[in-house]
Amino acid sequence: MVSPFSLPVTRPEDMVALRPWAARLQDPQDLPISLCCDGTRVTGIPAAWNPGGTSRRLDANLVETVWQGLDPATGLTIRVECLIYQDFPVVEWTVWLENTGSSPSPVLSEILALDSVLPATAPVLHHGNGDFYSEEGYTPTETPLLPGTEVSCIPNGGRPCDGAFPYFRLHDQGRGYTLAVGWPAQWSARFTGVKEGVAVQAGQARTRLRLFPGERVRTPRITLMVWTGEPARAVNLWRRWFLAHVMPKPDGRSLRPLLAVAGTDEGEEFTAATEENQLRFQDQFRRRGIDFDVWWIDAGWYPCRNPEGERRWWLTGTWQPDEERFPRGLRPVADHAAIGGARLLIWFEPERVTRNSRLFAEHPEWLLQRADEATRAADANALLNLGNPDCRRWLTDHVCGQIQEHGIGVYRQDFNFPPLDYWRENDAEDRQGWHENQHVQGYLQYWDELLARNPGLWIDSCSSGGRRNDLETMRRSVPLHYTDYGYGRHPVKLAFHHTLYAWIPYFKDVTLSWDGEIQGDEWRYDREVDRYAFHCGMAPMFVPALDIHRDDYDFALARELVALWRRAADLLLYGDYYPLTRFSRSPEEWVAWQFNRPERGDGLVQGIRHAACVDETLIVVLRDLDAEAEYRLENPETKEELVRTGAELMERGFDLTLSPRSAAIWFYRRR
């Protein structure tokens, strides 16, 4: 099933540019992969390995070719699974290595899922730094790759978007490449300017291991898109492909924008949540006319008392409702939410196991620990080893049971510590990369089984914010919580949005505001309804931070702004994205962007003037309109209307005039 807006954006010249790569995936010896086998470099699948292949059409838009070859001397097989898209200029491939012999394999090292040269004449690499709890996160960078220039990218600590971003664009004079490294762990990528263009090597960051008989490892999935035209076109070609082929479709239906709310009493996170107060808070939202789509319960709903009897949300490893607070489980909360058609979202963090937990006590053989943590305090972390098949099967059965028993509609998985040292300290000298590789396989299989066994389930990917949002993860989930930093710091989070809209269209934001008169606790929800904060928080999933405890709160204004978001939300998700101002975190600048649906002739322009911005007017010049048509523009908050031709809007634009710390959305439609 593809997006209704997918086909017109692909040009014939894009598919022509794809042909050389599609041809390479039809020639096993020319496959753009390599590895060292006992120090000897192997590229593609050598002829001596007698490669053979099969092809099949998976659907109307996707052809799969699988190549496999066997080294007769060692019993090592290479299997390369290749996908060629028919509706977008995209190819993908994944490499599997398996020991089918009767003795250990040679040492396999420097296993590269991509080892090739991208032809180019004046290449400029666009890359980023991911999320790492800093206002500097999600920063886009441009690096010209002259011959001899090298850019190396690698994340921190084993989470793929922690300090690096596994998404790249290479621009080259009216054409280019978009590349993603799909690996939910420690990947690496190196781009080197050479005479012919750019040499690229990408794969799991460290591999030097033997495989015992029957064992197998895999590489990252490589996604390569080729495109022609301007960089903005590359962004929207990617967005449309992502929406059509990557973003999950529960029950076969495209995701829609949703309104999420939550309610807590005192206590860290949701350690004070109870059946009684969750039902009461739902009723309070409904009485005030806030019709929510998702009821959110985050960390702390499970037994999590420390030895002193205090509840601490990070004491994880006992995944069942706390009987003291939820004596009937979570089903009453889910059923009460479902009265209004809402789903129940529940937070899990299964890979982190602390000592004061059921899993630590009952299954220490399933845990990976670091030597320097073996004698630490009761809340020290251990890593649940998803590479252990028994462990993964138990976790799958247990969590599926929780989902089905308690009516969970959105499974939210967090991962709040770096796993790399847990994997590497437990690898033998001749098995470097083994635990990481097996964990990745188990993690993806675990999610695949959750989705298969619970039709309609959503998964929310979280990892101390947005630190595990590689493309393999995104095929199974949406990253609702894209950072732990700066929810209420408007210029910073809008800079984050600038990057996210270009790569990962579905995410969540909240209307918290940390620049108002109330000082101190940034998490307080007792601020007044704030138009500016509502505008800054708009995203495909929207969380209005409302004080449902107050009778004097301006819920009429809140309902008006929620209705404004609902009108804008489909365009934010499914429209083509054009940033109309540069990437900036400065409170002294404007932010403006356009979301456009050319097939429908409609869209929106949002302008935001930050508090310290001295320019009261911004001229916004629109993109991709019908020059001959007239467009009616409307600001529903001020009731202003304009009529302009497409040519006028694309050549001269129109003025946005706002006071400091305010915003506006202008909707437009072709007449």
Side-chain angles (χ1 to χ4, degrees), residues 76 97-99 103-111 204 206-217 368 385 387 389 420-439 441:
L76 182 68
L97 301 170
E98 183 174 0
N99 183 355
S103 58
S105 75
V107 172
L108 310 176
S109 61
E110 300 177 44
I111 303 169
Q204 183 180 343
R206 180 188 293 179
T207 48
R208 187 183 180 281
L209 70 164
R210 299 181 187 275
L211 296 179
F212 296 127
E215 292 182 340
R216 67 175 187 166
V217 293
L368 297 177
N385 183 10
L420 187 61
D421 288 341
Y422 293 80
W423 293 324
R424 290 186 173 177
E425 287 187 18
N426 285 280
D427 284 340
E429 178 62 27
D430 62 350
R431 302 273 277 174
Q432 294 177 38
W434 171 257
H435 280 96
E436 175 186 344
N437 202 286
Q438 299 305 297
H439 191 102
Q441 292 183 50

Side-chain angles (χ1 to χ4, degrees), residues 143-209:
T143 305
L145 286 176
L146 301 173
T149 303
E150 182 177 296
V151 173
S152 293
C153 301
I154 188 168
N156 301 315
R159 292 178 292 179
C161 301
D162 189 345
F165 204 49
Y167 302 93
F168 306 89
R169 285 194 185 92
L170 191 68
H171 294 181
D172 180 42
Q173 297 184 334
R175 62 184 181 130
Y177 308 88
T178 301
L179 175 70
V181 181
W183 188 248
Q186 191 76 353
W187 57 274
S188 68
R190 184 170 63 250
F191 300 82
T192 307
V194 296
K195 181 179 179 181
E196 301 82 4
V198 178
V200 187
Q201 292 82 34
Q204 183 180 343
R206 180 188 293 179
T207 48
R208 187 183 180 281
L209 70 164

Side-chain angles (χ1 to χ4, degrees), residues 6 55 156 174 259 286 300 382 424 445 447 493 510 543 555 643:
S6 64
S55 291
N156 301 315
L259 185 79
R286 288 176 174 141
R424 290 186 173 177
Q445 187 173 352
W447 276 18
K493 76 175 185 180
V510 63
V543 181
F555 282 98
V643 176

Side-chain angles (χ1 to χ4, degrees), residues 341-610:
R343 291 168 170 261
L344 175 63
L345 178 151
I346 297 292
W347 180 96
F348 289 79
E349 192 183 358
E351 291 154 297
R352 179 165 62 160
V353 180
T354 54
R355 294 176 183 274
N356 191 29
S357 68
R358 175 183 170 186
L359 265 176
F360 196 97
E362 296 182 1
H363 289 287
E365 75 280 8
W366 291 350
L367 307 179
L368 297 177
Q369 299 183 63
R370 296 182 58 192
D372 65 350
E373 291 183 338
T375 59
R376 285 180 56 184
D379 61 351
N381 297 323
L383 177 65
L384 191 67
N385 183 10
L386 295 182
N388 180 312
D390 292 336
C391 171
R392 178 188 51 75
R393 282 191 290 268
W394 176 87
L395 181 67
T396 304
D397 291 342
H398 180 71
V399 173
C400 281
Q402 297 293 302
I403 290 169
Q404 293 156 13
E405 179 180 353
H406 302 294
I408 297 170
V410 183
Y411 169 83
R412 170 169 164 78
Q413 183 165 323
D414 209 340
F415 193 21
N416 281 308
F417 69 107
L420 187 61
D421 288 341
Y422 293 80
W423 293 324
R424 290 186 173 177
E425 287 187 18
N426 285 280
D427 284 340
E429 178 62 27
D430 62 350
R431 302 273 277 174
Q432 294 177 38
W434 171 257
H435 280 96
E436 175 186 344
N437 202 286
Q438 299 305 297
H439 191 102
V440 166
Q441 292 183 50
Y443 156 76
L444 295 175
Q445 187 173 352
Y446 167 57
W447 276 18
D448 286 342
E449 291 186 17
L450 287 188
L451 294 170
R453 291 166 57 175
N454 299 281
L457 182 74
W458 287 33
I459 296 179
D460 166 22
S461 169
C462 183
S463 181
S464 301
R467 305 193 202 193
R468 186 161 61 177
N469 290 335
D470 66 288
L471 201 56
E472 280 285 61
T473 297
M474 293 298 90
R475 292 178 186 280
R476 300 158 172 85
S477 65
V478 287
L480 300 182
H481 191 70
Y482 62 85
T483 188
D484 274 345
Y485 184 87
Y487 311 106
R489 304 190 191 284
H490 307 297
V492 172
K493 76 175 185 180
L494 289 175
F496 295 167
H497 290 192
H498 183 287
T499 294
L500 286 163
Y501 278 130
W503 287 110
I504 306 175
Y506 202 107
F507 57 92
K508 173 218 74 183
D509 214 316
V510 63
T511 65
L512 283 172
S513 185
W514 295 349
D515 65 341
E517 295 180 359
I518 297 177
Q519 303 298 319
D521 183 4
E522 293 177 328
W523 295 104
R524 287 173 59 179
Y525 279 53
D526 56 350
R527 293 161 171 79
E528 300 303 324
V529 179
D530 183 344
R531 284 185 183 272
Y532 170 73
F534 265 72
H535 273 273
C536 293
M538 288 192 183
M541 181 176 278
F542 189 51
V543 181
L546 305 175
D547 188 355
I548 57 172
H549 303 289
R550 285 173 50 187
D551 293 330
D552 62 341
Y553 202 68
D554 193 348
F555 282 98
L557 177 57
R559 291 190 295 271
E560 174 192 329
L561 292 170
V562 166
L564 179 68
W565 165 79
R566 287 200 183 275
R567 181 174 176 183
D570 259 14
L571 286 161
L572 298 178
L573 178 57
Y574 286 107
D576 289 339
Y577 165 59
Y578 294 99
L580 304 179
T581 52
R582 66 179 183 174
F583 177 91
S584 174
R585 304 181 188 88
S586 172
E588 299 178 354
E589 298 197 19
W590 280 78
V591 171
W593 35 49
Q594 174 192 3
F595 291 86
N596 183 52
R597 293 188 294 200
E599 296 85 356
R600 297 189 178 186
D602 66 349
L604 67 81
V605 175
Q606 184 181 37
I608 299 169
R609 182 182 173 189
H610 288 313

